[in-house]
Amino acid sequence: MITPDANATDAEVALAAARTGADIVRGLYGRRLDRIDKGDGDFATAADVAAEKAILGVIRTARPADAVLGEEGGRQGAPDGARQWLVDPLCGTLNYATGNMLVAVNVALRDGAAAVADPFSGEVFFTDGRTAWLRQDGTDDTPLTPTPATRLVDVNLDPPFPSAPAFRPVDLLAHPAFTAHFRPRVVSTSLALAWVAAGRRAAYVTDGTDLSTTVHFAAGIALCRAAGCVVTGIDGTPPDEPARGLVAAADAGTHERLLTMINGRG
């Protein structure tokens, strides 16, 4: 476990917690792991559970009064606490269980610091809530700078699709305007949001409801907003309001182009 010192900032706690979880995920990769059925085709593995336990150990040590909402363990700590950490210890469990390294470890303080760790590259994308950075072992922190230059757009095709039939993510991929301007990618992990903040993707699109308050997306949304991305629901609603889906784009032009396609205006 990576233990922050007593004077650690929230960003340093998020970094330490995400790195600790990433160490567990990387260490268990490739082993035969029991699956814990969660219903509707969803499941967790022993790696999800172990990583979350390690992450919670870091948070409890550094911020013992804070509440936690974990993907596997649910709510812990004072239910009415002003500070709550959102933890997704292994985003991309199906990828991981089938030998695919495209996964992320997400840790976010609601309305505050956040970190997204890539267990296999050693990269941790993090924010103090105002600016966003990339840290990799042996290198200085690098500011995250979004850009639409790659023209790559990750589209989450995992169900459910609560906005159907008005919007189905798969339909976006066949839209003539989409194929004229962008190239689709399907990563199936919120690591793709960190890549938008870092300039490796032009945008990320997913369906869903109230995603900024979920353990899956809170850290990635925080990164994108701190880096200067344009982030809304698929109908243009700010993500900190009840919103449908998510469009996180490197710039306003890319964002508007995608919203136009999604909402049938072009």
Side-chain angles (χ1 to χ4, degrees), residues 7 45 59 61 65 105 114 134 144 148 174 218 225 229 232 262:
N7 299 316
T45 70
I59 294 173
T61 298
V105 176
L134 168 62
L144 297 184
R225 298 182 80 176
C229 301
T232 71
I262 289 168

Side-chain angles (χ1 to χ4, degrees), residues 209-229:
T209 55
D210 299 337
L211 299 184
S212 67
T213 61
T214 72
V215 297
H216 306 290
F217 291 96
I221 289 172
L223 278 174
C224 285
R225 298 182 80 176
C229 301

Side-chain angles (χ1 to χ4, degrees), residues 32-99:
R32 292 181 61 87
L33 300 173
D34 291 337
R35 296 189 180 191
I36 303 162
D37 184 26
K38 299 165 73 171
D40 296 325
D42 193 15
F43 65 92
T45 70
D48 299 69
V49 175
E52 181 167 303
K53 181 179 179 180
I55 291 167
L56 265 58
V58 173
I59 294 173
R60 288 192 186 114
T61 298
R63 299 291 189 268
D66 291 357
V68 177
L69 174 60
E71 165 71 1
E72 308 309 330
R75 296 181 185 274
Q76 300 184 39
D80 56 350
R83 290 165 50 94
Q84 183 185 55
W85 294 85
L86 306 173
V87 176
D88 184 356
L90 178 49
C91 184
T93 299
L94 180 57
N95 285 351
Y96 185 82
T98 56

